[in-house]
Amino acid sequence: GQQVMQIPQYQHVQEGEDFTTYCNSSTTLSNIQWYKQRPGGHPVFLIQLVKSGEVKKQKRLTFQFGEAKKNSSLHITATQTTDVGTYFCAGPGNNDMRFGAGTRLTVKP
Amino acid sequence: NAGVTQTPKFRVLKTGQSMTLLCAQDMNHEYMYWYRQDPGMGLRLIHYSVGEGTTAKGEVPDGYNVSRLKKQNFLLGLESAAPSQTSVYFCASTPTGVGEQYFGPGTRLTVT
């Protein structure tokens, strides 16, 4: 079945540095979703991208969907300690969404 | 509006024991999912349901059974627990198969 690959698996940054996680698929995706999971918590939906080349922003977070709709990225500008957690991308499967393995972000104050 | 709830929150089982995890949603969503989350492996789909009375297998269905007798409830059963089933289990629901998923708080299961 369709799979999405995420890199890196871990990222440790100093507070104030930028952070980017990437999501790649071997097949064209009709849409892609991003979720955040705080330590000890559950995944929470952040955004869905649908259009080729789409870029969406949420405060310090910038989400991009590639022109070929096979890759996506999440970029956080000037990370804060509140950004810690695991970020997942998810692409559509059969009546469900298939999740990447996630990127765990830690932020050093 | 409680969203998605899961019971229990924690459980310790011995190998061979059985148990049922309950997921309930009050958003009238058609689709419901059971995932397991293990370190470094993201969320893997166990079973899902596209509506009351329906169930289907996901990526890792072996050792689990499910039932969706009522639209708001989705039960996950372990007939004979094994240590490999030690994991955090999340339930999720969505109005459509590819829309935003709403997750429950999770159940942490340990099988000794």
Side-chain angles (χ1 to χ4, degrees), chain A residues 69-83:
Chain A
K69 301 182 75 173
K70 288 185 175 181
N71 56 74
S72 182
S73 65
L74 159 58
H75 179 82
I76 302 178
T77 303
T79 56
Q80 300 175 359
T81 55
T82 54
D83 295 324

Side-chain angles (χ1 to χ4, degrees), chain B residues 6-25:
Chain B
Q6 291 183 236
T7 52
K9 287 185 170 51
F10 303 93
R11 186 72 186 267
V12 178
L13 286 179
K14 294 188 177 181
T15 298
Q17 287 184 320
S18 63
M19 77 164 295
T20 301
L21 282 68
L22 171 64
C23 176
Q25 53 96 2

Side-chain angles (χ1 to χ4, degrees), chain B residues 36-92:
Chain B
R36 60 176 290 171
Q37 185 174 38
D38 304 293
M41 301 193 71
L43 294 156
R44 292 186 292 169
L45 183 65
I46 304 171
H47 286 281
Y48 66 98
S49 169
V50 301
E52 181 179 314
T54 75
T55 63
K57 294 180 180 180
E59 301 173 76
V60 289
D62 294 343
Y64 305 94
N65 58 76
V66 288
S67 64
R68 184 101 181 266
L69 298 180
K70 293 183 178 180
K71 186 176 184 178
Q72 63 268 34
N73 296 336
F74 196 29
L75 279 62
L76 178 71
L78 286 73
E79 291 185 345
S80 180
S84 60
Q85 294 177 304
T86 293
S87 188
V88 179
Y89 292 84
F90 287 102
C91 175

Side-chain angles (χ1 to χ4, degrees), chain A residues 42-56:
Chain A
H42 59 276
V44 175
F45 176 82
L46 293 176
I47 207 160
Q48 177 167 288
L49 305 173
V50 178
K51 298 178 182 178
S52 169
E54 189 169 15
V55 177
K56 288 189 175 180

